[in-house]
């Protein structure tokens, strides 16, 4: 028999609809997954088989083919465990009902049939609303995140058997609902504040001017002068995030897997401070399957580069275009993805190490001048030192 259920796939920070088609035919027992799946999707056959048996359902000893359409888009992750399991039950006639084609199904299965959280639930909720479906069925831990999208039902489930009972109409699961205004206000508080900075009036004035227009800024000062401490508090003086900005930022963190469980909506401006050993791919994104980099994770917020001279030259050079365009485009042989990257760049560094002129003056073989004993070939060093002292 043939059955079809709906799921979703991530492309960048957005999601598209995926048709999960299950065909069960006579023949030797086999399980084939087609539709450009990655390793995690191919391994789903073992998780699905164990989850169905441990949940009390029969796994058909026949030839099973799972097709993930469209087939020209790579499918990755374990979120297809639930739709494949439901499709097998529908193809064998165990599960029937009209609800089967009204929801997007997403979820990773444990071997006992429990549902584990996934990445990108917010983007997939937007895709379900765009497709005109009733809603989506996802793990309960992802329900607060997906419920941010208004106009669809977000069904949070904890196990495979609970999803089967709901789709069969034998169990009622109330859609998860959130108070958007309350959620936005409760998640908009910062742990630090710019008002905590004492002194440094000139630096604070410069940062206020830079923050008012989201201008990039470079801070130069000796170690311990408070550059990093002040930089961490810059997001608190930036304008409050709008709801659209919060949704866009939450999508990036959700797709990357960095969204905190207790924070369903990113209502504060992000602050990212990568180490100076970061690679160019880690900063702007990329990889065999392109992922957002630090510059995209700092979208609508602050990207702080501490010890700026320690960063590799090629890493700093790749920042030019994202800073100018406000986005990062990553092209690969199979697809091209664009991630947003509108950031305020804040950099910090120590003063230049000046040449010890007294040691140079005592170096053997140099002809000294009478004004200070400075070697003729190092007159420029003295001039630089004079300018810095002034």
């Amino acid at each position: 028999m043939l059955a079809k259920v709906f799921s979703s796939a991530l492309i960048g920070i957005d999601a598209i609809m995926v048709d999960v088609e299950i065909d069960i035919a006579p023949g030797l027992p086999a399980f084939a997954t087609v539709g450009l799946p990655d390793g995690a999707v191919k391994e789903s056959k073992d998780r699905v088989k164990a989850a169905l048996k441990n949940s009390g359902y029969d796994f058909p000893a026949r030839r099973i083919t799972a097709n993930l359409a469209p087939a020209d888009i790579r499918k990755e992750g374990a979120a297809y465990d639930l739709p494949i399991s439901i499709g097998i039950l529908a193809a064998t006639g165990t599960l029937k009902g009209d609800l089967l084609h009204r929801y997007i199904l997403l979820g990773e299965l444990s071997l006992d049939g429990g549902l584990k959280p996934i990445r990108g639930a917010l983007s997939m909720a937007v895709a379900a609303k765009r497709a005109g479906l009733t809603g989506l069925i996802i793990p309960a831990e992802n329900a607060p995140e997906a419920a941010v999208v208004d106009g669809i039902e977000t069904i949070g489930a904890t196990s495979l058997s609970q999803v089967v009972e709901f789709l069969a109409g034998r169990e009622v699961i109330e859609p998860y609902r959130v108070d958007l205004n309350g959620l936005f206000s409760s998640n908009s508080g910062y742990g630090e504040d710019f008002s905590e900075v004492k002194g440094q009036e000139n630096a604070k004035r410069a940062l206020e001017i830079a923050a008012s227009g989201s201008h990039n800024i470079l801070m130069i000062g000796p170690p311990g002068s408070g550059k990093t401490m002040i930089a961490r508090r810059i997001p608190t003086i930036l304008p409050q995030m709008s709801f659209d900005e919060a949704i866009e930022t939450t999508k990036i963190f959700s797709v990357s897997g960095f969204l905190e469980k207790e924070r369903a909506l990113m209502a504060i401006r992000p602050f990212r401070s990568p180490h100076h050993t970061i690679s160019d791919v880690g900063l702007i994104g990329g990889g065999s399957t392109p992922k957002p980099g630090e510059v995209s994770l700092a979208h609508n917020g602050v990207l702080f580069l501490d010890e700026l001279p320690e960063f590799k030259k090629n890493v700093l050079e790749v920042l030019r275009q994202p800073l100018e365009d406000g986005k990062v485009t990553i092209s690969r042989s199979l697809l091209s993805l664009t991630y947003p990257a509108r950031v305020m760049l804040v950099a910090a560094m120590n003063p230049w190490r000046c040449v010890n002129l007294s040691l140079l003056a005592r170096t053997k073989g140099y002809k000294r001048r009478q004004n200070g004993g400075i070697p003729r070939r190092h007159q420029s060093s003295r001039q630089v030192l004079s300018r810095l002292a002034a």
Side-chain angles (χ1 to χ4, degrees):
M1 295 181 62
L2 178 67
K4 184 175 75 171
V5 296
F6 296 125
S7 188
S8 184
L10 291 172
I11 300 182
I13 65 171
D14 296 317
I16 63 169
M17 294 290 297
V18 172
D19 296 337
V20 180
E21 301 172 335
I22 303 296
D23 178 69
I24 300 179
L28 294 175
F31 197 123
T33 304
V34 298
L36 209 59
D38 70 347
V41 179
K42 292 179 180 178
E43 293 173 352
S44 65
K45 60 182 180 180
D46 299 316
R47 293 190 298 270
V48 167
K49 183 176 180 179
L52 286 173
K53 289 186 175 181
N54 292 327
S55 298
Y57 303 105
D58 294 330
F59 186 83
R62 298 183 181 180
R63 182 175 181 83
I64 302 174
T65 302
N67 178 40
L68 309 178
D72 59 340
I73 296 177
R74 187 170 183 80
K75 320 301 186 307
E76 59 179 8
Y80 301 101
D81 292 356
L82 180 61
I84 290 175
S85 301
I86 297 298
I88 291 175
L89 294 178
T92 57
T94 304
L95 178 61
K96 299 179 181 179
D98 297 334
L99 295 178
L100 195 61
H101 300 101
R102 292 167 54 185
Y103 292 89
I104 281 181
L105 302 175
L106 296 159
E108 177 184 351
L109 287 175
S110 60
L111 299 184
D112 62 354
L115 286 178
K116 296 182 178 181
I118 59 172
R119 295 185 295 109
L122 177 59
S123 300
M124 294 171 179
V126 174
K129 182 178 180 180
R130 191 187 307 120
L133 299 178
T134 302
L136 72 165
I137 301 175
I138 56 176
E141 294 185 30
N142 296 116
E145 173 190 346
V148 173
V149 180
D150 194 18
I152 62 170
E153 295 182 3
T154 301
I155 306 298
T158 58
S159 64
L160 172 62
S161 58
Q162 188 180 20
V163 176
V164 173
E165 295 299 310
F166 172 77
L167 293 175
R170 295 188 292 266
E171 181 177 345
V172 177
I173 303 177
E174 292 296 330
Y176 193 96
R177 303 189 184 280
V178 296
D179 180 11
L180 291 181
N181 294 329
L183 183 64
F184 197 84
S185 60
S186 62
N187 290 329
S188 59
Y190 294 89
E192 303 168 325
D193 193 79
F194 198 77
S195 62
E196 299 170 350
V197 181
K198 305 301 180 183
Q200 301 283 9
E201 300 301 328
N202 292 334
K204 290 194 293 186
R205 177 58 178 164
L207 288 171
E208 289 171 0
I209 296 174
S212 64
S214 190
H215 302 299
N216 305 326
I217 190 169
L218 171 64
M219 296 184 290
I220 304 177
S225 58
K227 302 185 296 296
T228 303
M229 180 268 297
I230 295 177
R232 291 187 179 278
R233 288 162 172 79
I234 293 177
T236 65
I237 60 175
L238 293 175
Q240 187 176 8
M241 291 185 72
S242 64
F243 184 74
D244 292 337
E245 288 178 329
I247 290 291
E248 194 173 28
T249 304
T250 305
K251 279 184 178 182
I252 299 174
F253 276 75
S254 177
V255 168
S256 304
F258 295 147
L259 188 64
E260 301 175 5
K261 294 181 180 180
E262 61 276 6
R263 189 185 296 274
L265 184 68
M266 287 287 297
I268 61 174
R269 296 193 178 275
F271 178 86
R272 304 293 298 182
S273 179
H275 195 260
H276 61 261
T277 57
I278 191 172
S279 65
D280 51 355
V281 173
L283 189 62
I284 68 168
S288 57
T289 302
K291 301 292 184 184
E294 290 291 334
V295 68
S296 294
L297 291 171
H299 178 61
N300 291 324
V302 174
L303 177 64
F304 179 52
L305 302 183
D306 200 5
E307 303 295 343
L308 182 65
E310 301 296 333
F311 284 82
K312 298 181 180 67
K313 180 182 178 182
N314 64 308
V315 173
L316 296 178
E317 287 179 348
V318 297
L319 268 179
R320 180 184 58 81
Q321 187 173 358
L323 293 178
E324 291 179 354
D325 300 339
K327 59 184 179 180
V328 174
T329 300
I330 304 172
S331 298
R332 294 294 181 266
S333 58
L334 295 178
L335 77 166
S336 179
L337 300 177
T338 299
Y339 293 110
R342 293 190 302 272
V343 301
M344 175 181 176
L345 178 63
V346 179
M349 59 179 287
N350 299 327
W352 292 347
R353 297 187 182 95
C354 298
V355 178
N356 192 326
L357 299 181
S358 61
L359 290 177
L360 288 175
R362 291 193 294 268
T363 301
K364 184 178 180 180
Y366 286 119
K367 294 182 179 180
R368 297 170 175 77
R369 299 184 61 194
Q370 304 212 349
N371 54 347
I374 305 300
R376 185 178 302 276
R377 61 178 295 185
H378 292 286
Q379 291 180 25
S380 59
S381 299
R382 182 176 182 180
Q383 296 171 359
V384 171
L385 185 62
S386 300
R387 288 197 296 269
L388 290 175

